[in-house]
Amino acid sequence: MFALANENCMKVLFVCLGNICRSPLAEAILNQKVSGTSPSQDISADSCGTENYHIDQAPDHRTIEVAHRNNVQIDHLGRQLSEDDFHIYDQIIVMDKSNLYDTLALKPKESKAEVRLMRDFDPEPDDGEVPDPYYGGEDGFQQVFDILDRSIEAFLKKQQD
Ligand code: 4NP
């Protein structure tokens, strides 16, 4: 879950549809990658969904399982994207084009937050979307983990350039 670190900390918000599969996993992966790194990687992540389907719910059990299988701690309760988020976060990173459309529709004109697709950072971007694994099998969750892991690695590298 999002922890206020300090004023200079870059704040990243990951957004998907339900906030129980892709975005809480992205949040957990980023926070684990930057924990214990130098202040130059003073970045922290939170996540939310464009919809209100899973407010205050833990991530899907398959999300928790794939995180743990890959040695990533995960701790999040579902919440919905709000206008306030556009004044709190520096970078808002969405999982697919539908999330991008819904997120930009809510963005206040005066917000300076940058809204990007997660796979804009992926060295193997494919169709540019992180697929929604909710209606599929376990393999889809490992595939999503691998996409997020390498995209977030590339995102963090870019912040150091
Ligand atoms: P997510 O996946 O957007 O990656 O969290 C989904 C979770 C729940 C639903 C759809 C997608 N749903 O319809 O409840």
Side-chain angles (χ1 to χ4, degrees):
M1 230 169 291
F2 180 64
L4 268 181
N6 67 53
E7 282 298 305
N8 300 320
C9 177
M10 179 198 277
K11 299 176 189 69
V12 177
L13 181 65
F14 291 106
V15 179
C16 62
L17 178 69
N19 194 212
I20 55 170
C21 299
R22 294 164 292 176
S23 65
L25 192 55
E27 170 195 334
I29 292 170
L30 186 146
N31 285 335
Q32 180 128 334
K33 282 186 187 293
V34 301
S35 70
T37 59
S38 66
S40 63
Q41 287 278 280
D42 203 356
I43 301 179
S44 70
D46 188 13
S47 68
C48 66
T50 56
E51 295 299 332
N52 63 358
Y53 306 149
H54 300 284
I55 305 296
D56 287 336
Q57 290 180 19
D60 186 284
H61 70 94
R62 297 163 296 176
T63 309
I64 296 173
E65 282 156 19
V66 80
H68 289 173
R69 263 205 312 280
N70 291 276
N71 299 311
V72 170
Q73 297 302 311
I74 186 160
D75 174 22
H76 180 77
L77 294 177
R79 74 171 182 87
Q80 188 176 19
L81 179 67
S82 78
E83 280 195 27
D84 290 346
D85 289 319
F86 293 90
H87 300 295
I88 296 171
Y89 295 92
D90 305 294
Q91 298 264 351
I92 299 181
I93 302 181
V94 306
M95 299 295 140
D96 61 34
K97 290 167 192 168
S98 168
N99 305 152
L100 182 64
Y101 180 87
D102 291 337
T103 299
L104 290 175
L106 198 63
K107 186 182 179 195
K109 275 201 191 72
E110 67 278 12
S111 163
K112 302 256 188 314
E114 199 178 341
V115 181
R116 301 286 300 272
L117 279 161
M118 179 81 270
R119 295 195 80 173
D120 285 353
F121 301 97
D122 189 348
E124 302 161 48
D126 193 29
D127 66 355
E129 303 194 295
V130 181
D132 185 346
Y134 185 64
Y135 293 106
E138 302 281 336
D139 312 357
F141 282 78
Q142 185 61 50
Q143 189 200 354
V144 164
F145 184 94
D146 294 340
I147 292 169
L148 292 174
D149 192 55
R150 67 170 187 261
S151 301
I152 291 168
E153 193 68 40
F155 169 78
L156 291 173
K157 210 146 190 254
K158 191 155 184 275
Q159 307 315 306
Q160 289 181 312
D161 290 346

